[in-house]
Amino acid sequence: MLGRLNHVAIAVPDLEAASAIYRDALGAKLSDPQALPEHGVTVVFIDTGNSKIELMEPLGEGSPIAAFLEKNPSGGMHHVCYEVEDIAAARDRLQATGARILGDGNPKTGAHGKPVLFLHPKDFLGTLVELEQV
Ligand code: CO
């Protein structure tokens, strides 16, 4: 069921400053900032060849990463995203093992226009896990 690591998402308080760190210190090639109002974030993508890093800054009121940044004011690793071929089958399998799906349990359209689910961090070693159907 578990496929490639699609991305690692890092929540940041200042996207411009975070982009400069990746660009200047690490020599990364960055996408232009992309506002995703329906997800409450602005993101910059960094292609690492085998995967991606997503820098996410809160956008608008009630951003889903606002509380995380209150606890981690200088930013931090927010979630990892794994690819799955069939998200409904993945959900059913996870629920059968007792793992908790966040929200109403139904896939939503993620930042890449594909169906995603988030799994409860307490069931996955303290890590928020996103599954994306590819
Ligand atoms: Co993600």
Side-chain angles (χ1 to χ4, degrees):
M1 160 179 132
L2 190 68
R4 293 176 67 236
L5 176 66
N6 183 277
H7 61 271
V8 174
I10 300 174
V12 303
D14 180 338
L15 194 54
E16 185 72 43
S19 297
I21 290 170
Y22 264 82
R23 184 180 55 236
D24 301 338
L26 293 173
K29 287 202 182 82
L30 311 177
S31 75
D32 288 330
Q34 201 175 319
L36 301 170
E38 67 278 19
H39 296 285
V41 292
T42 303
V43 296
V44 162
F45 299 102
I46 298 159
D47 190 347
T48 60
N50 60 345
S51 193
K52 290 189 289 282
I53 301 292
E54 292 183 11
L55 304 176
M56 313 184 292
E57 177 189 68
L59 174 63
E61 294 299 308
S63 169
I65 63 170
F68 179 90
L69 281 169
E70 263 167 46
K71 284 185 234 146
N72 306 275
S74 56
M77 208 198 79
H78 185 263
H79 66 268
V80 294
C81 176
Y82 300 115
E83 298 179 355
V84 295
E85 276 178 22
D86 181 338
I87 203 159
R91 188 240 348 251
D92 294 347
R93 176 194 167 121
L94 284 157
Q95 283 178 328
T97 71
R100 287 165 287 179
I101 314 291
L102 298 188
D104 63 8
N106 292 312
K108 299 213 166 25
T109 301
H112 312 116
K114 296 183 175 151
V116 302
L117 285 174
F118 284 91
L119 313 181
H120 201 297
K122 289 203 170 132
D123 296 332
F124 291 93
L125 315 171
T127 307
L128 179 60
V129 174
E130 179 180 18
L131 297 180
E132 180 174 297
Q133 181 171 293
V134 290

